[in-house]
Amino acid sequence: SCAQPDPIMASSARRSREDFKKAKELEELRKLAVAPPEIDEEGNMINPHIPQYMAAAPWYISDGKVGLKHQRMSHFGAKGEEGSLVTKFEPKFKKGKRANKFRKGSCENCGAMTHKTKECCERPRRRGAKFTNKCSADEIVNFEKGDSFDAKRDRWKGYDTSKYKQVIDFYNKVEEARKKKKAKELDEQMRRKALKKREKLLRKQEKRAARKAKKAENPDASDSDSDSDSDSDSDSDDEDGESGDELKDTTGEVIQKRDARTRTTVRNLRIREDTAKYLLNLSVKSAHYDPKTRSMRANPHPEKDPSELTYAGDNFVRMSGDVEKVNALQLFAFAKNETGDADVHLQAAPSQAELHFQSEQKRRMQEANNLRRSVLDKYGGTKYLKTPAKELLLAQSENYVEYSEDGRLIKGHEPAIPKSKYVEDVFENNHTAVWGSYWKDGKWGYKCCCLTVRNSYCTGDAGKAIAMSKDKRKREVS
């Protein structure tokens, strides 16, 4: 089976419309597996689904034959060459002749003729080769004429792979030193724990011996309970001291614990006493809980008084504070932009938007007040607007309060008793009535003695008799 040139893969030979149409039909038949696939010069079948920009060789390397040889790297090398990149070690620079005397025009530092003093890569000598005549060998660049474009620019050409073993040995030594240090630290930690345990055991033995001696001196005394308590306290103290680094809150609950041996930190995201959101209301019709975001937007107990709730949903927090004010300001900016006023922009000019919003609010309030005043002037009814609160009129409110059969409060808040700014039910200067319990001729006084002088001493029934005689005398005169 010799390779037949294909009209699709042929190079830039100009084809007629009929040839182009036949080539397209043949391509479609090959894609549908009706016609046999194309075969290159090596006898390999070419996939008909390969795009033409990959299958067609560029004009500068096209040899007029069908195939994918131009996609292989070996095509760029010389004929019969396996690859253009150098795989074996060949030093990029070779050492050449070494002079015994400094030559004019050579490097003043090392004495080589292949580079200048500024380009020298050797360590700067204290006295250069110009003065000591100790010259280094010349470098010969190892560039062969047969090298390809990639081989000339191979950055790893001439690199000795055996040098990398030094890097590997260095990191292995560092790893061994780290393991030895870790083992030493663990041994030291175990030794300290064993020492603490031994000291603790000795303290217990000393306490037991002291308790036995004390009991032998005074058999009636019973201090075993106190000693056992002290032992348990000391044990718990020792255990707390060995527990590591712990972070506690104000209530003493551990919220973060760090283990020095494993270098890990364990943090409790929720305090143990806090009830999870999904446990606040176990009803099926309760608020939806999203376990992925750990959020519950609605109120789990909408039937309860909001003042008694510890958690009213995430939306309650989102709609509190200045959130409503910012939302109203954003809606005002949107409305202004829709009407064509581009000066109001909440992000670009927030202060200007705030001033526009305030002026608009004042204008609306003024229009509402003018409308209300005009309606009242036309139809009247001002006296009906000056009514007391509904609580005073009907003695009712919307606050839910629940009482038991014996009159005790179960749920809600009792109505507060109104208080004045003055001190109530405090009798002064031997009075039996408070100031303001008596009124006479436009003056306040005390009802117990009919005196109208503030902070006066009570005269009792004698003061009442004098006040009555004065009134009787005034009536007789009039």
Side-chain angles (χ1 to χ4, degrees):
S1 60
C2 60
Q4 297 293 332
D6 187 55
I8 299 176
M9 298 297 181
S11 60
S12 59
R14 190 170 183 84
R15 293 176 294 178
S16 63
R17 182 174 295 182
E18 295 179 357
D19 294 340
F20 186 79
K21 189 175 180 180
K22 290 180 181 179
K24 281 292 182 183
E25 291 176 356
L26 181 59
E27 182 182 356
E28 293 296 331
L29 292 174
R30 284 173 177 170
K31 288 183 178 179
L32 295 173
V34 177
E38 191 178 5
I39 300 175
D40 61 359
E41 60 181 357
E42 296 178 358
N44 300 322
M45 291 187 296
I46 300 175
N47 191 347
H49 298 282
I50 296 176
Q52 188 176 3
Y53 73 90
M54 295 176 61
W59 59 269
Y60 49 87
I61 60 172
S62 177
D63 53 2
K65 298 179 181 179
V66 180
L68 299 174
K69 191 177 180 181
H70 61 279
Q71 295 286 353
R72 300 183 181 91
M73 188 179 293
S74 60
H75 181 78
F76 294 97
K79 191 173 182 179
E81 186 182 358
E82 294 182 357
S84 61
L85 296 180
V86 178
T87 56
K88 62 181 181 179
F89 170 68
E90 292 182 2
K92 195 170 184 178
F93 296 97
K94 294 182 180 180
K95 291 185 178 182
K97 183 181 177 182
R98 180 174 182 178
N100 296 326
K101 190 177 181 181
F102 181 76
R103 295 163 292 180
K104 187 177 181 181
S106 61
C107 177
E108 296 181 358
N109 183 44
C110 65
M113 287 290 293
T114 52
H115 61 267
K116 301 297 181 183
T117 307
K118 292 182 179 180
E119 302 170 356
C120 185
C121 296
E122 285 193 10
R123 179 180 58 85
R125 302 181 183 180
R126 190 172 184 180
R127 295 183 66 197
K130 184 179 180 180
F131 304 101
T132 59
N133 291 326
K134 294 181 180 179
C135 302
S136 299
D138 298 340
E139 299 96 351
I140 299 175
V141 182
N142 187 20
F143 280 148
E144 298 180 1
K145 293 183 179 181
D147 289 344
S148 62
F149 180 86
D150 294 328
K152 290 179 181 178
R153 288 156 181 81
D154 185 12
R155 62 191 295 248
W156 294 105
K157 182 179 179 180
Y159 179 74
D160 189 3
T161 54
S162 61
K163 292 182 179 179
Y164 193 71
K165 191 174 182 303
Q166 300 176 359
V167 180
I168 297 174
D169 294 341
F170 171 75
Y171 280 100
N172 290 337
K173 288 180 181 179
V174 172
E175 185 67 19
E176 290 178 2
R178 190 187 67 79
K179 289 181 179 179
K180 289 181 181 179
K181 184 180 178 182
K182 185 69 176 177
K184 188 177 180 181
E185 290 178 355
L186 290 175
D187 293 342
E188 184 68 21
Q189 190 175 3
M190 295 297 292
R191 189 185 64 80
R192 285 199 302 268
K193 284 187 177 181
L195 185 60
K196 284 183 180 180
K197 194 173 182 181
R198 197 179 300 110
E199 291 177 354
K200 185 170 143 185
L201 185 61
L202 290 175
R203 284 198 300 269
K204 282 187 177 182
Q205 291 177 358
E206 291 177 359
K207 287 181 180 179
R208 288 174 185 171
R211 187 165 60 248
K212 287 181 180 179
K214 192 173 182 180
K215 191 173 182 180
E217 293 176 0
N218 191 4
D220 297 335
S222 59
D223 296 334
S224 59
D225 296 339
S226 61
D227 292 338
S228 62
D229 293 341
S230 63
D231 291 343
S232 63
D233 294 341
S234 63
D235 296 344
S236 62
D237 294 341
D238 295 339
E239 291 176 0
D240 292 341
E242 297 172 1
S243 61
D245 299 334
E246 293 181 352
L247 180 62
K248 300 182 179 180
D249 58 359
T250 55
T251 60
E253 183 71 23
V254 178
I255 60 176
Q256 180 173 333
K257 185 175 180 180
R258 183 179 184 276
D259 192 354
R261 291 174 293 178
T262 58
R263 297 182 181 179
T264 55
T265 303
V266 180
R267 185 176 181 86
N268 298 329
L269 299 178
R270 181 172 58 85
I271 303 175
R272 194 175 300 170
E273 285 76 14
D274 289 348
T275 306
K277 296 177 183 178
Y278 53 84
L279 296 178
L280 294 174
N281 191 355
L282 299 179
S283 175
V284 181
K285 299 180 180 179
S286 178
H288 173 70
Y289 175 75
D290 187 9
K292 186 175 182 180
T293 58
R294 297 182 182 178
S295 60
M296 182 182 287
R297 294 176 177 83
N299 186 3
H301 293 287
E303 72 280 356
K304 290 187 177 180
D305 188 6
S307 61
E308 297 179 354
L309 294 175
T310 57
Y311 177 75
D314 296 338
N315 288 338
F316 176 78
V317 180
R318 293 175 182 174
M319 298 306 295
S320 61
D322 294 337
V323 178
E324 296 182 357
K325 183 178 178 182
V326 174
N327 291 338
L329 185 59
Q330 185 70 59
L331 292 175
F332 171 72
F334 289 160
K336 282 293 184 182
N337 290 331
E338 289 178 358
T339 56
D341 190 359
D343 295 337
V344 180
H345 198 286
L346 185 59
Q347 284 75 28
S351 301
Q352 185 179 4
E354 181 74 20
L355 290 175
H356 281 285
F357 181 68
Q358 291 178 1
S359 61
E360 183 70 17
Q361 292 293 104
K362 289 180 182 178
R363 186 184 64 79
R364 290 181 181 178
M365 289 177 62
Q366 189 174 1
E367 288 181 356
N369 292 333
N370 293 337
L371 179 61
R372 184 168 175 269
R373 194 180 298 109
S374 63
V375 172
L376 291 175
D377 293 342
K378 186 175 182 179
Y379 299 102
T382 310
K383 60 181 179 179
Y384 300 107
L385 299 176
K386 298 179 181 179
T387 56
K390 293 182 179 180
E391 290 82 1
L392 299 178
L393 287 175
L394 306 175
Q396 295 178 356
S397 65
E398 295 181 358
N399 295 331
Y400 180 77
V401 182
E402 186 176 346
Y403 296 92
S404 62
E405 294 180 356
D406 55 354
R408 291 184 293 104
L409 181 67
I410 298 177
K411 185 183 294 184
H413 298 280
E414 288 185 345
I417 301 174
K419 297 181 180 179
S420 66
K421 63 180 181 179
Y422 302 103
V423 182
E424 299 178 359
D425 298 332
V426 176
F427 304 108
E428 54 187 8
N429 295 334
N430 205 24
H431 288 283
T432 57
V434 297
W435 170 259
S437 59
Y438 178 70
W439 172 262
K440 184 68 174 175
D441 298 335
K443 294 182 180 180
W444 294 103
Y446 297 98
K447 188 178 180 179
C448 57
C449 58
C450 298
L451 290 178
T452 57
V453 181
R454 186 78 169 90
N455 294 328
S456 60
Y457 195 79
C458 183
T459 57
D461 295 335
K464 282 186 178 181
I466 294 171
M468 291 175 64
S469 62
K470 285 183 179 181
D471 293 340
K472 187 177 180 181
R473 198 178 299 117
K474 283 183 181 179
R475 285 196 300 269
E476 290 175 355
V477 172
S478 62

